[in-house]
Amino acid sequence: MATITATIRPVMMGVPAAKSQHVGRISLKSSKASSEIGFISSHLSGIKISTTAFERTAPTKISAPFRPSLQPVARRICPFTGKKSNKANRVSHSNHKTIRRQFVNLQYKKIWWEAGKRFVKLRLSTKAIKTIEKNGLDAVAKKAGIDLKKM
């Protein structure tokens, strides 16, 4: 006969329970008769727990998938040249210095890729565009270690 023990902690809007809050324990004794029930539905969080899975294997973590609240933002870095923003000082008339950023001149550009027989849309610095016009897209991508098939 196996025993399943769960700790219950009150949760308020994602904040963990404090020391003074009530912490309770629930114990379930399962046997072959109770394994026929199938699933026990938790009324606290709506998670279904299988009693038969605990008897066969070691206990595993139950967690929700990570969902970021914001979409990832494209970084202001040129993939071909590696150019990125620079820190500089904005100097006023009274010689007061304020830190500011000098961003790279990135442009969205559709470039014809001869080996792939299609256009590739890239976000490049103007220096990289000049280099591609001079040396060719394949040579610059190979030097930078970029696979154009994934673009």
Side-chain angles (χ1 to χ4, degrees):
M1 186 183 323
T3 304
I4 301 169
T5 306
T7 305
I8 303 168
R9 295 178 185 258
V11 178
M12 288 187 349
M13 298 299 289
V15 179
K19 289 182 181 177
S20 63
Q21 290 179 333
H22 175 71
V23 176
R25 279 198 178 279
I26 295 175
S27 290
L28 270 176
K29 297 205 174 190
S30 65
S31 63
K32 296 197 182 224
S34 68
S35 67
E36 295 172 2
I37 296 171
F39 292 98
I40 299 171
S41 180
S42 171
H43 67 282
L44 296 173
S45 61
I47 300 172
K48 289 188 176 181
I49 302 170
S50 171
T51 56
T52 56
F54 287 105
E55 292 175 2
R56 281 185 265 150
T57 60
T60 58
K61 276 188 184 178
I62 300 173
S63 63
F66 175 70
R67 291 187 185 122
S69 60
L70 298 173
Q71 295 296 324
V73 178
R75 296 175 67 193
R76 293 177 179 171
I77 296 176
C78 177
F80 285 85
T81 59
K83 287 181 176 281
K84 56 185 178 180
S85 62
N86 184 35
K87 280 189 180 175
N89 285 327
R90 178 179 285 125
V91 183
S92 69
H93 179 68
S94 63
N95 205 25
H96 179 76
K97 294 171 181 67
T98 306
I99 295 176
R100 63 181 289 263
R101 305 286 289 197
Q102 295 173 334
F103 293 110
V104 183
N105 188 7
L106 292 176
Q107 306 291 324
Y108 285 100
K109 183 89 173 158
K110 280 174 37 174
I111 300 175
W112 177 253
W113 180 33
E114 191 63 38
K117 303 290 185 205
R118 65 183 175 101
F119 279 99
V120 180
K121 189 174 182 181
L122 301 168
R123 190 178 188 205
L124 305 169
S125 64
T126 51
K127 180 69 176 178
I129 293 171
K130 289 179 181 180
T131 308
I132 288 170
E133 288 175 359
K134 181 180 177 184
N135 300 334
L137 182 61
D138 285 325
V140 177
K142 185 176 179 183
K143 185 177 180 182
I146 294 173
D147 187 16
L148 292 172
K149 294 175 188 174
K150 296 179 182 178
M151 299 281 178

